[in-house]
Amino acid sequence: MPDIYPQYHPVLINLANRPKSGKCADCGARHIGMCDTLSDDDLELLANTAQRITLAPGQMFIEEGSPAGHFYNINSGTVRLYKALPDGRRQITGFMGAGHFLGLKVSGSSAMPGHYVFSAEAINEVQLCRFNRTALLAKLSQFPRLERKLLDVAVHELVIAQEQMLLLGRKTALERVASFLLAWAAWQELCPAGGLPETMLNMSLPMSRMDLADYLGVTIETISRALGQLKRDGLIAIPAAQHVILLQPRRLAALADAAI
Amino acid sequence: MPDIYPQYHPVLINLANRPKSGKCADCGARHIGMCDTLSDDDLELLANTAQRITLAPGQMFIEEGSPAGHFYNINSGTVRLYKALPDGRRQITGFMGAGHFLGLKVSGSSAMPGHYVFSAEAINEVQLCRFNRTALLAKLSQFPRLERKLLDVAVHELVIAQEQMLLLGRKTALERVASFLLAWAAWQELCPAGGLPETMLNMSLPMSRMDLADYLGVTIETISRALGQLKRDGLIAIPAAQHVILLQPRRLAALADAAI
DNA sequence: CGGGACTTTGAGCTTTCTCAACGATGGTGG
DNA sequence: CCACCATCGTTGAGAAAGCTCAAAGTCCCG
């Protein structure tokens, strides 16, 4: 399997590119994810250990097996997390976007410094904050709300992971694609309060078909055929390869949650 | 698919069967898992909210979708966690044994009371401690070490879950079975310090072939054939259906981590 | 010793994968 | 501004892994 991970000349574009004021208050991600949990004062303290970083599309910023030195908080863009086998087979374990917290998963007695058990790459241009892992963990007892938030983040990821195991172990290709489309819609917060939208739903998929295949445990051809069938059946429209419209979310959901 | 979950007349055998002294100090699980994290005094406080429960083989004690009322700590026996689709397809997301902490995974803003997103059943006779979820969460701030422990537990489960996604999404049936056998050996702590044993390794599998199949995302026939092939190839021996001997752990590991 | 549940084995079938060719798309340089 | 090229995506045909259905073999327990 040659050329599994097409790289777009990885370059660290802009290290430590703080917002103009240098304060979290001016950050676009101030009111989402981890940063939403903290008071301005707390954030001020943490900010000292943070660096703002911009990543080019395709750039890897966490490598499986390397020492876990940082936590990350994504401000914008989309990231793929994955594990790989020695022969190149890849399983994408998740996509993350603005507000998501990254870097909990390390080997050993966990929250202690160990080694990353996954790799992470930017899908498109990504802006994120990088925290020194040891420093943040040491300060954790000073920020009880943050510690609780981390637990919430971990538990939420666990819930998602279980759902994905069900998908990978027991769903057909068509069900997997339908499930993904709905999950992605929810993930984009296009579906308020987790409710299923009645109307049609417009969304863009930043990831390639290869990413989708490696996320859903099938091949790119199978992804393409499944999308084609959903299109033929009138459940979705695909005006462009990376642009999908959910025409009939309810029928899609029926398909996703198990052909009864 | 009829009769997916053979039930052995679920009966709550023995509620609140405290050890004779009524103290955690006399519990067989005192020095493992969560209970190992706490001081005797802390444990004393928590014990007030705990009930000791014995479950019969096959008994379900957590049902997906039901309100999350308790945490559990397993003292002995083996438990299967699973998710199911409306048409009966089942994915076992993990097996848990003595010392394991259970019940983090709930819907919604997580660590808050919500609904379980998985079901749990005893595989053999199981003894566990049941904690009131709300009470324990409320007391969490009094037990910072416990809170940190919960984070560690969640992170460790996440690491396992990612590994399982790689298995379900990208490994062949033979690789899955080989991976499972090694993981089970490590899980049983037959392999000290995560190192791969050179010598042969004796272990019992409390779960049925059906459980194995639903854990590894294949059918029971495929499990049987894969075990048969490993036996034919001299990698394992199967003196009884629920008793496996790893004859060549290294070759098994080579097979598990990817046929290169 | 007999019955039921579990496991193994076999044969044919279905879904998905593999391999290959074609088509679309977007960026680049003439 | 357009043609070209690289990459990505789609489509088709044949192959293979794993599934389904069926039957025989084991084992446990009464």
Side-chain angles (χ1 to χ4, degrees):
Chain A
M1 252 196 228
D3 212 356
I4 286 192
Y5 312 132
Q7 296 288 326
Y8 303 74
H9 302 299
V11 175
L12 205 58
I13 292 183
N14 202 351
L15 191 68
N17 169 31
R18 299 281 188 89
K20 303 171 193 67
S21 70
K23 293 182 182 175
C24 293
D26 298 333
C27 177
R30 171 66 184 92
H31 292 294
I32 50 179
M34 181 188 73
C35 298
D36 189 31
T37 303
L38 299 167
S39 72
D40 279 324
D41 290 347
D42 286 351
L43 211 50
E44 197 72 22
L45 282 170
L46 271 187
N48 298 331
T49 65
Q51 288 175 299
R52 276 178 80 87
I53 294 177
T54 302
L55 304 171
Q59 186 173 354
M60 178 189 290
F61 62 100
I62 296 180
E63 187 172 10
E64 187 174 354
S66 66
H70 301 91
F71 287 118
Y72 299 87
N73 202 51
I74 302 176
N75 298 330
S76 68
T78 308
V79 156
R80 60 175 166 251
L81 311 185
Y82 64 89
K83 289 175 73 76
L85 290 169
D87 65 359
R89 282 174 288 176
R90 178 178 76 155
Q91 178 65 38
I92 291 183
T93 55
F95 299 109
M96 311 202 111
H100 283 186
F101 185 79
L102 202 52
L104 279 174
K105 285 162 291 184
V106 300
S107 62
S109 281
S110 304
M112 293 299 292
H115 294 263
Y116 292 118
V117 295
F118 62 96
S119 300
E121 290 173 1
I123 288 179
N124 39 31
E125 183 175 299
V126 167
Q127 304 224 8
L128 44 75
C129 277
R130 192 171 80 172
F131 301 91
N132 181 288
R133 190 183 178 81
T134 318
L136 194 142
L137 283 175
K139 287 187 182 178
L140 218 52
S141 51
Q142 301 169 34
F143 304 103
R145 291 187 65 195
L146 180 55
E147 183 155 25
R148 184 57 162 273
K149 181 71 177 184
L150 289 191
L151 181 56
D152 287 353
V153 165
V155 168
H156 185 246
E157 278 192 48
L158 261 177
V159 170
I160 305 288
Q162 313 277 316
E163 193 66 45
Q164 192 69 359
M165 283 193 235
L166 177 61
L167 179 149
L168 291 171
R170 287 297 179 224
K171 288 189 179 178
T172 67
L174 203 60
E175 290 166 356
R176 293 180 197 209
V177 171
S179 299
F180 168 77
L181 290 175
L182 287 165
W184 187 252
W187 193 85
Q188 302 252 297
E189 295 175 281
L190 296 172
C191 307
L196 204 59
E198 300 286 342
T199 64
M200 79 181 208
L201 233 163
N202 225 311
M203 58 190 192
S204 79
L205 308 176
M207 69 290 290
S208 68
R209 296 290 189 267
M210 181 105 219
D211 286 339
L212 275 179
D214 285 347
Y215 181 56
L216 299 178
V218 294
T219 60
I220 50 174
E221 293 93 335
T222 297
I223 293 286
S224 192
R225 281 186 253 267
L227 286 172
Q229 174 159 355
L230 292 177
K231 188 165 71 173
R232 246 176 288 117
D233 294 351
L235 299 187
I236 64 174
I238 312 180
Q242 309 222 330
H243 185 198
V244 175
I245 301 171
L246 309 190
L247 297 172
Q248 304 193 47
R250 299 202 76 97
R251 280 183 62 200
L252 210 54
L255 192 56
D257 273 351
I260 300 176
Chain B
M1 253 197 229
D3 213 355
I4 285 192
Y5 313 132
Q7 295 290 324
Y8 303 75
H9 301 298
V11 175
L12 205 58
I13 293 184
N14 200 353
L15 191 68
N17 168 31
R18 298 284 188 87
K20 301 171 195 66
S21 72
K23 292 182 182 174
C24 293
D26 297 333
C27 177
R30 171 66 182 92
H31 291 295
I32 49 179
M34 181 188 72
C35 298
D36 190 32
T37 303
L38 299 168
S39 72
D40 280 323
D41 289 346
D42 285 351
L43 211 49
E44 198 72 21
L45 280 171
L46 269 187
N48 297 332
T49 66
Q51 288 175 299
R52 274 178 81 87
I53 294 177
T54 302
L55 304 171
Q59 186 172 353
M60 177 189 290
F61 62 100
I62 296 179
E63 186 172 9
E64 187 174 353
S66 66
H70 302 92
F71 287 118
Y72 298 87
N73 202 51
I74 301 176
N75 298 329
S76 69
T78 308
V79 156
R80 61 175 167 252
L81 310 186
Y82 63 89
K83 289 176 73 75
L85 290 170
D87 65 358
R89 281 174 289 175
R90 179 178 75 157
Q91 178 65 38
I92 291 183
T93 55
F95 299 109
M96 311 203 109
H100 283 186
F101 184 80
L102 202 52
L104 278 175
K105 285 162 292 184
V106 300
S107 62
S109 282
S110 304
M112 293 298 292
H115 294 262
Y116 292 118
V117 296
F118 63 96
S119 300
E121 290 173 1
I123 288 180
N124 39 29
E125 183 175 298
V126 167
Q127 304 223 9
L128 45 75
C129 277
R130 191 171 81 173
F131 301 90
N132 181 288
R133 188 182 179 83
T134 318
L136 194 141
L137 283 176
K139 287 188 183 179
L140 218 51
S141 51
Q142 301 169 35
F143 302 104
R145 291 188 64 196
L146 181 55
E147 183 156 23
R148 183 57 164 273
K149 181 72 177 182
L150 288 191
L151 180 57
D152 287 353
V153 165
V155 168
H156 184 247
E157 278 193 47
L158 261 177
V159 170
I160 305 288
Q162 313 278 316
E163 193 67 46
Q164 192 69 358
M165 282 193 237
L166 177 60
L167 180 149
L168 291 171
R170 288 297 179 223
K171 288 189 179 179
T172 67
L174 203 60
E175 290 166 356
R176 293 179 197 209
V177 171
S179 298
F180 168 77
L181 290 175
L182 288 165
W184 188 252
W187 193 85
Q188 302 251 297
E189 294 175 283
L190 296 174
C191 306
L196 204 59
E198 298 288 340
T199 64
M200 79 181 207
L201 233 163
N202 223 311
M203 59 190 192
S204 80
L205 307 177
M207 70 291 290
S208 68
R209 295 292 188 267
M210 181 103 217
D211 286 339
L212 238 42
D214 285 346
Y215 181 56
L216 299 178
V218 295
T219 60
I220 49 175
E221 293 92 336
T222 297
I223 293 285
S224 192
R225 281 185 252 267
L227 285 171
Q229 175 160 354
L230 292 177
K231 187 165 70 176
R232 246 175 289 119
D233 294 350
L235 299 188
I236 64 173
I238 312 179
Q242 309 222 328
H243 185 197
V244 174
I245 301 172
L246 309 191
L247 297 172
Q248 304 193 46
R250 298 201 75 98
R251 281 183 60 199
L252 210 55
L255 192 56
D257 273 349
I260 300 176

